[in-house]
């Protein structure tokens, strides 16, 4: 009971008729709030509960990835151009930018002695990403396999512990590597146990098996999970490209909100306080007006964080 609680906090009471009237108004307010809460729940699910803090976090993460990509020896363009290339390949592979870019950075550092340009590192990242997507495993499982393969490629010699997740998540890929890596003789597990499988051999094997998974990947229908990943990718790219504008807009809006709050306080003070304001404007109308002002301010903040508004 929004308005009734507001009046009680102000220390105001009224007649039974006024109370019943406020109850009816409260009922309508509650229904309206519930409707907007339900809509907010849907938007939160689709857009990942976008808030100002989440916008800042996303901007920081994307800018950090951009800077790290820019420092790779294979990057010969600007960090922003290299990041855009990585982001577009992540979208094409239906992978999250953060997961794709994190593996790309690990792979770039691990292969800098034998891969000298960005396209080679992108092909390696595509090989892992597309093969994992073609396995039909969950996004969480793919992320774990991404991490483990990144560790394995960066190791002087591949350890079986680093490959166990791959066996669970994408057994077809592990079997294909057993045929693609020279010396494995269709038994990669035994070959790894000899300590002769290097990160370079694993990377070259992954690129070699990529074509056989591309067709399989293209035939797979887009899942809801993958669609949401792509929406989040585009949102992350938007935030990365316009983080300066978002920060400027947020600062201006907060300045405006301070002015609105000051104006409301001035009006209430001019009317002799909140109690007199309610009495002068009428109990129901005054309370609804004051509470409405608070809700409008809250709605304005909500609008600032809405993807549509941005």
């Amino acid at each position: 009971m929004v308005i009734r609680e507001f009046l009680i906090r102000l220390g105001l009471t009224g007649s039974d008729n006024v109370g019943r009237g406020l109850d009816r108004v409260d009922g309508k307010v509650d229904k309206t709030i519930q409707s907007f809460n339900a809509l907010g729940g849907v938007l939160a699910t689709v857009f990942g509960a976008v808030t100002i803090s989440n916008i800042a976090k996303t901007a920081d993460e994307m800018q950090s990835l951009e800077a790290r990509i820019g420092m790779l020896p294979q990057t010969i363009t600007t960090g922003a151009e290299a990041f855009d290339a990585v982001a577009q390949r992540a979208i094409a592979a239906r992978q999250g930018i953060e997961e794709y870019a994190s593996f790309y950075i690990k792979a770039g550092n691990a292969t800098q002695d034998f891969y000298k340009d960005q396209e080679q590192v992108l092909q390696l990242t595509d090989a892992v990403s597309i093969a994992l997507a073609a396995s039909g495993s969950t996004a969480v499982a793919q992320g774990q396999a991404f991490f483990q393969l990144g560790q394995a490629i960066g190791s002087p010699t591949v350890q079986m512990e680093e490959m166990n997740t791959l066996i669970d998540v994408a057994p077809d890929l592990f079997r294909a590597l057993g045929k693609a890596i020279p010396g494995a003789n269709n038994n990669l597990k035994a070959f790894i146990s000899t300590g002769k499988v290097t990160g370079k051999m694993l990377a070259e094997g992954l690129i070699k098996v990529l074509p056989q998974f591309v067709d399989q990947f293209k035939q797979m229908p887009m899942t809801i999970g993958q669609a949401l990943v792509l929406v989040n990718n585009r949102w992350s790219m938007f935030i990365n490209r316009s983080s300066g504008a978002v920060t400027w807009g947020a600062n201006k809006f907060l300045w405006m909100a301070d002015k609105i709050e000051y104006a409301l306080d001035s009006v209430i003070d001019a009317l002799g306080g909140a109690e007199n304001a309610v009495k002068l404007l009428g109990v129901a109308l005054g309370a609804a007006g004051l509470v409405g002002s608070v809700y409008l301010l809250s709605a304005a903040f909500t609008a600032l964080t809405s993807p549509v508004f941005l």
Side-chain angles (χ1 to χ4, degrees):
M1 305 178 81
V2 178
I3 296 176
R4 174 62 67 85
E5 289 178 1
F6 180 77
L7 290 175
I8 291 173
R9 290 179 183 178
L10 292 177
L12 299 176
T13 59
S15 66
D16 291 340
N17 287 336
V18 171
R20 285 191 292 272
L22 287 176
D23 287 343
R24 287 193 294 272
V25 174
D26 261 328
K28 294 180 180 179
V29 171
D30 285 339
K31 288 181 180 178
T32 302
I33 292 172
Q34 289 170 10
S35 298
F36 277 100
N37 284 342
L39 177 60
V42 174
L43 292 177
T45 300
V46 176
F47 292 104
V50 179
T51 63
I52 291 177
S53 61
N54 282 339
I55 290 174
K57 181 180 178 182
T58 299
D60 287 346
E61 289 173 349
M62 293 301 108
Q63 288 169 10
S64 174
L65 290 172
E66 181 178 308
R68 291 162 63 195
I69 289 172
M71 290 187 291
L72 288 175
Q74 294 92 342
T75 300
I76 57 175
T77 59
T78 65
E81 291 175 333
F83 173 83
D84 283 348
V86 171
Q88 291 299 334
R89 295 287 272 267
I91 291 172
R94 306 179 195 173
Q95 290 286 352
I97 290 176
E98 187 174 356
E99 292 79 9
Y100 188 99
S102 294
F103 180 90
Y104 173 87
I105 292 166
K106 282 184 180 180
N109 285 318
T111 61
Q112 58 184 297
D113 292 336
F114 48 93
Y115 287 162
K116 301 301 183 182
D117 63 65
Q118 184 180 20
E119 183 58 32
Q120 289 176 302
V121 184
L122 285 171
Q123 285 181 358
L124 173 57
T125 310
D126 278 346
V128 176
S129 181
I130 290 174
L132 290 176
S135 71
S137 57
T138 65
V140 174
Q142 290 178 33
Q144 293 171 345
F146 246 126
F147 177 80
Q148 292 296 336
L149 279 171
Q151 295 289 101
I153 291 172
S155 303
T157 57
V158 177
Q159 303 298 317
M160 198 58 222
E161 291 80 4
E162 298 166 333
M163 304 299 287
N164 286 332
T165 302
L166 180 62
I167 295 174
D168 294 334
V169 175
D172 288 349
L173 175 58
F174 187 79
R175 285 193 292 270
L177 288 171
K179 298 177 182 179
I181 295 177
N185 298 323
N186 227 5
N187 191 344
L188 182 56
K189 187 179 291 188
F191 193 36
I192 290 175
S193 66
T194 65
K196 296 180 180 180
V197 181
T198 64
K200 179 180 180 181
M201 293 169 66
L202 177 60
E204 291 177 342
L206 285 164
I207 292 179
K208 191 181 295 184
V209 302
L210 173 61
Q212 73 184 72
F213 289 99
V214 169
D215 290 339
Q216 184 179 340
F217 173 75
K218 289 180 178 179
Q219 293 172 7
M220 290 183 64
M222 176 86 66
T223 65
I224 293 177
Q226 290 173 342
L228 291 177
V229 166
L230 297 186
V231 170
N232 189 60
N233 281 351
R234 295 194 177 277
W235 172 247
S236 297
M237 290 179 68
F238 167 77
I239 291 299
N240 188 55
R241 289 171 176 168
S242 58
S243 56
V246 171
T247 301
W248 179 88
N251 288 333
K252 293 298 182 183
F253 188 85
L254 292 174
W255 173 84
M256 182 176 65
D258 288 339
K259 298 301 181 185
I260 293 173
E261 184 178 358
Y262 175 77
L264 287 173
D265 289 340
S266 298
V267 170
I268 291 173
D269 289 342
L271 294 175
E275 184 173 349
N276 282 337
V278 172
K279 289 179 179 178
L280 289 171
L281 298 174
V283 174
L285 180 59
L290 290 173
V291 174
S293 298
V294 174
Y295 272 97
L296 284 174
L297 189 59
S298 174
F301 276 109
T302 302
L304 176 65
T305 64
S306 164
V308 177
F309 177 83
L310 290 168

